[in-house]
Amino acid sequence: FVLMDDASTRAAFPFAFELTISYRMEGGSLAISCEVANPGPEVLPFSFGAHPGFRCPLVAGESFSDYEVAFDRPETSDRWLVDDGLIGAVREPVLRNQQVLPLTEGLFGRGALVFKDLRSERVRLQSRTSGRGVKLELPGFPTFGIWSKAPGAFVCLEPWCGIADPVDASGRLEDKEGIIFLPPGGTFERRLAVRPF
């Protein structure tokens, strides 16, 4: 799939770009390749992220609260609270040297869990009851979101290179946290892999 700039995109985002996303099966995994190219004569400022969502529960007869998100290493991180689509100034502790985050119906009552400093490059959504789940490999994504809407019937595991504006944003694209500056002729690539188990 290819998305390129045109007159309608340039009206809101005045930069040349080409986004290419490819999907292919590799063994038992779905491999997703994402490339941003700058075909224009000016530096391309951009952010990039993925929004994969997974049915939860995956197995008939199980409940949302039978599941957990497991990280490949112990994590200590606060969540940044989202205020009307913007990153608020308030954060609260969520992970304290933990590899597992149990899913509960109330976990997303205050919106998405937004983490800015996770170190894990592999995350699993897994059932404590059946052992079934999906593994997401996400190297090179510095920001991560987890989101569901009550009552939980799905969970989104969202690797990002970039983040929403803060509530006190300057409005200047070059000041945006996590913005990537791609020189003319440059390319930026990230890969994801999803494997059911």
Side-chain angles (χ1 to χ4, degrees):
F1 297 91
V2 179
L3 175 66
M4 299 177 67
D5 66 287
D6 59 21
S8 64
T9 66
R10 286 192 296 272
F13 183 70
F15 301 97
F17 69 88
E18 184 173 308
L19 171 63
T20 303
I21 301 180
S22 64
Y23 299 85
R24 67 186 178 285
M25 294 303 300
E26 291 183 354
S29 293
L30 173 64
I32 306 165
S33 175
C34 310
E35 181 181 278
V36 177
N38 181 0
E42 299 177 14
V43 170
L44 168 62
F46 73 97
S47 293
F48 177 81
H51 184 68
F54 304 96
R55 179 180 152 178
C56 185
L58 292 165
V59 177
E62 292 184 340
S63 69
F64 185 82
S65 58
D66 289 329
Y67 285 74
E68 61 193 16
V69 175
F71 302 94
D72 69 356
R73 58 179 64 189
E75 297 285 1
T76 296
S77 186
D78 296 339
R79 76 181 281 192
W80 290 85
L81 295 175
V82 179
D83 182 2
D84 198 25
L86 301 173
I87 302 299
V90 177
R91 59 186 188 175
E92 63 184 24
V94 174
L95 298 169
R96 289 296 176 262
N97 198 35
Q98 294 171 244
Q99 279 188 262
V100 173
L101 177 65
L103 297 182
T104 63
E105 293 293 342
L107 184 61
F108 303 101
R110 298 178 71 188
L113 304 180
V114 176
F115 300 104
K116 295 184 181 182
D117 54 3
L118 297 183
R119 299 171 301 131
S120 294
E121 294 188 343
R122 287 175 295 283
V123 177
R124 296 183 315 275
L125 170 65
Q126 61 191 22
S127 167
R128 292 185 303 277
T129 304
S130 66
R132 301 291 302 275
V134 291
K135 179 171 74 171
L136 180 63
E137 295 182 18
L138 42 97
F141 289 89
T143 314
F144 188 67
I146 307 172
W147 179 72
S148 184
K149 187 170 184 174
F154 66 90
V155 174
C156 294
L157 303 176
E158 305 179 22
W160 305 324
C161 291
I163 195 166
D165 274 336
V167 292
D168 60 351
S170 71
R172 294 167 34 98
L173 191 57
E174 58 268 26
D175 295 338
K176 185 173 173 58
E177 182 178 358
I179 201 78
I180 298 163
F181 296 96
L182 192 60
T187 59
F188 171 93
E189 186 174 12
R190 288 293 181 270
R191 296 178 183 270
L192 302 167
V194 179
R195 176 183 290 269
F197 60 86

